[in-house]
Amino acid sequence: MPEWIGSAATVAATLVALAALIVSIWASRRVARKREFELLLARIDQEAAKREADTRALTERIDREAAKREERFEREVAKREERFEREAAKREEAIRDVLDRSDRKFEALQRRSDELYRQSAEITSRVAHTEAVLEAAPEADTATGQSDAVAAQDVLGDRPSE
């Protein structure tokens, strides 16, 4: 039996050694996997930080370009507004010139109309005077012996002296 105990102890020691070897392999693999996982997480963190930096740089570049474009747009709008205002001022000046010419022409026509009205009033006054003389002519015809033609000649001048 001592042999058997010695054999069993050898087998048990071998099994314990084998179990310890298996446990140590399992533990080293677990530690290796944990280390690989930590390395993978570190690489992922580095890649995320790099991508975040790239994204931040891209966002800043986009913001700068947008600011430049907005500034160009505002300058273009300002130029167009200035051009529009100049054109509007030119058109207003042209309209003022046309209105001034129209006013001057209207005033000239008004003066001409007033002159023609005054002449018409004079002619109407002469016609009324002539008609009055002609109406009085039959009376004068018998009194002075003048004809209608002679009485009409008296219309343009002063009344005949008596």
Side-chain angles (χ1 to χ4, degrees), residues 3-161:
E3 267 179 41
W4 183 80
I5 291 183
S7 286
T10 306
V11 170
T14 305
L15 284 178
V16 168
L18 188 58
L21 180 63
I22 291 173
V23 167
S24 96
I25 291 173
W26 174 78
S28 73
R29 292 239 176 181
R30 185 171 175 199
V31 168
R33 283 186 186 153
K34 185 177 179 184
R35 179 73 182 137
E36 286 176 8
F37 184 72
E38 288 173 355
L39 289 173
L40 182 62
L41 284 177
R43 217 175 312 137
I44 288 172
D45 287 345
Q46 288 175 350
E47 186 67 28
K50 182 183 173 194
R51 287 186 182 182
E52 186 176 317
D54 290 347
T55 302
R56 196 174 316 117
L58 180 64
T59 303
E60 289 173 359
R61 192 180 89 218
I62 289 171
D63 288 345
R64 283 190 307 270
E65 289 178 10
K68 286 178 185 177
R69 286 182 181 168
E70 186 175 339
E71 184 179 323
R72 269 188 261 134
F73 175 76
E74 288 174 0
R75 280 190 304 228
E76 186 67 30
V77 166
K79 285 180 185 177
R80 287 183 183 183
E81 286 176 350
E82 184 178 319
R83 198 174 323 137
F84 177 79
E85 288 174 5
R86 281 193 311 257
E87 288 178 11
K90 285 179 186 176
R91 288 183 180 162
E92 285 178 15
E93 185 64 31
I95 289 170
R96 263 189 244 111
D97 289 345
V98 167
L99 289 175
D100 287 346
R101 283 191 304 243
S102 174
D103 287 347
R104 286 190 301 268
K105 190 168 189 167
F106 177 77
E107 288 170 0
L109 289 173
Q110 187 70 36
R111 283 191 301 270
R112 178 73 176 139
S113 173
D114 291 346
E115 177 64 25
L116 290 174
Y117 181 77
R118 187 185 57 76
Q119 289 175 0
S120 173
E122 287 177 7
I123 291 171
T124 303
S125 171
R126 285 185 203 159
V127 167
H129 178 66
T130 302
E131 287 176 351
V133 167
L134 289 177
E135 285 178 9
E139 297 168 4
D141 189 24
T142 56
T144 61
Q146 293 180 341
S147 67
D148 287 346
V150 174
Q153 290 175 0
D154 194 26
V155 171
L156 292 177
D158 291 331
R159 293 192 175 181
S161 50

